[in-house]
């Protein structure tokens, strides 16, 4: 069978046809990565078909994530981009993960209103970078927090957990006042962890100029804190 046949069969409703095609494509190894990336782009409007190709790419990319990273810049459609960000994010290769900074720079032009899909890709890229211990996108992370008033994404909060500093405490405080339910609870936990990490006490000068609302939120976060 040819590569073209395998690419056609990977969309098959018959499981065995699909598996055979996936195995054939995976056996291409590193030279098959450009073909698979192109196949993702070709199926950009069909998330299910995209996901099937991505599962093969994920297999082939293991240990070769830098090769996949080279194609990030030319991937403009959101579904393929989201899948590639996830594949790179699972890598233990920090150099491959650093390429996600390029995705952030591209998706975050100042002042442009972002749709939910792009906002999610951006949040995931931030999370993967932060988890790798990289602070290269910290400025963008701060801007993202400011933009996401009242709908903070879990990945952004997780990124702040990883690389946030003293300055992020005030941002978190603002979000705490706007969020509800379980998210409010998670922000409270993140806030306390960050205070501990940065050795910030309740009487720290950083909290001196808070308005009444924020002072109330701070008291709420800190109550029952032993």
């Amino acid at each position: 069978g040819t590569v073209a046949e395998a690419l056609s069969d990977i969309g098959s409703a018959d499981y065995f046809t699909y598996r055979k095609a996936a195995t054939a494509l995976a056996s291409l190894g590193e030279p098959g990565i450009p073909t698979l990336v192109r196949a993702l782009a070709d199926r950009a409007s069909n998330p299910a078909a995209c996901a099937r190709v991505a599962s093969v790419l994920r297999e082939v990319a293991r240990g070769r994530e830098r090769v996949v990273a080279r194609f990030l810049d030319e991937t403009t459609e959101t579904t393929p981009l989201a899948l590639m960000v996830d594949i790179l994010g699972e890598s233990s290769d920090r150099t491959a993960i650093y390429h996600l900074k390029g995705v952030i720079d591209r998706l975050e032009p100042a002042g442009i209103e972002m749709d939910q899909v792009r906002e999610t890709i951006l949040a995931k890229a931030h999370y993967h970078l932060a988890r790798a211990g990289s602070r290269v996108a910290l400025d963008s992370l701060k801007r993202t927090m400011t933009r996401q008033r009242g709908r903070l994404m879990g990945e952004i909060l997780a990124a702040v957990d990883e690389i946030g500093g003293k300055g992020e405490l005030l941002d978190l405080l603002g979000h705490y006042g706007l969020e509800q339910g379980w998210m409010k609870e998670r922000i409270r936990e993140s806030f306390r962890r960050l205070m501990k990490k940065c050795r910030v006490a309740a009487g720290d000068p950083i909290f001196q100029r808070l308005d009444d609302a924020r002072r109330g939120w701070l008291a709420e976060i800190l109550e029952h804190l032993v």
Side-chain angles (χ1 to χ4, degrees):
T2 64
V3 172
E5 273 172 35
L7 283 170
S8 162
D9 286 349
I10 199 164
S12 171
D14 177 70
Y15 178 75
F16 295 102
T17 307
Y18 152 66
R19 270 317 311 164
K20 192 175 162 212
T23 305
L25 289 169
S27 72
L28 294 171
E30 189 172 318
I33 289 176
T35 305
L36 290 166
V37 171
R38 219 171 17 253
L40 276 183
D42 291 344
R43 291 158 180 74
S45 58
N46 183 340
C50 236
R52 280 191 167 191
V53 174
S55 69
V56 180
L57 182 59
R58 180 176 264 113
E59 212 175 305
V60 176
R62 215 161 282 135
R64 304 176 178 127
E65 290 90 355
R66 288 183 202 190
V67 182
V68 177
R70 283 182 215 143
F71 294 94
L72 277 173
D73 284 350
E74 61 194 57
T75 306
T76 51
E77 300 279 0
T78 50
T79 303
L81 187 60
L83 290 161
M84 284 169 73
V85 165
D86 279 342
I87 289 169
L88 289 173
E90 289 161 15
S91 177
S92 53
D93 179 351
R94 288 177 64 138
T95 304
I97 292 174
Y98 282 165
H99 281 85
L100 295 177
K101 170 76 163 74
V103 174
I104 290 169
D105 292 343
R106 217 170 78 212
L107 286 181
E108 202 232 13
I112 287 186
E113 209 28 68
M114 239 187 264
D115 60 36
Q116 194 63 37
V117 183
R118 283 183 176 79
E119 198 75 83
T120 302
I121 296 172
L122 190 72
K124 283 184 169 183
H126 272 301
Y127 171 63
H128 294 315
L129 269 173
R131 207 172 40 97
S134 170
R135 300 169 70 88
V136 292
L138 191 59
D139 288 343
S140 165
L141 184 64
K142 289 172 188 278
R143 285 193 297 271
T144 304
M145 283 181 78
T146 309
R147 203 173 52 245
Q148 291 188 343
R149 284 281 179 240
R151 54 185 184 93
L152 191 63
M153 289 194 176
E155 289 91 351
I156 293 296
L157 189 57
V160 172
D161 274 354
E162 296 283 345
I163 58 165
K166 199 170 174 176
E168 279 65 64
L169 284 168
L170 297 179
D171 286 322
L172 284 180
L173 193 54
H175 277 286
Y176 179 81
L178 292 169
E179 296 286 351
Q180 283 145 27
W182 65 273
M183 195 57 178
K184 206 176 182 79
E185 204 41 60
R186 274 193 60 187
I187 292 172
R188 180 202 293 247
E189 284 165 28
S190 289
F191 191 93
R192 290 174 168 189
R193 272 199 300 271
L194 206 50
M195 275 183 78
K196 199 171 173 180
K197 187 173 92 174
C198 301
R199 300 200 172 94
V200 172
D204 194 276
I206 195 175
F207 300 133
Q208 305 241 292
R209 297 163 72 173
L210 295 178
D211 57 30
D212 288 346
R214 279 177 169 72
R215 200 164 281 126
W217 298 337
L218 180 64
E220 217 175 279
I221 289 174
L222 298 180
E223 69 181 332
H224 316 306
L225 197 56
V226 186

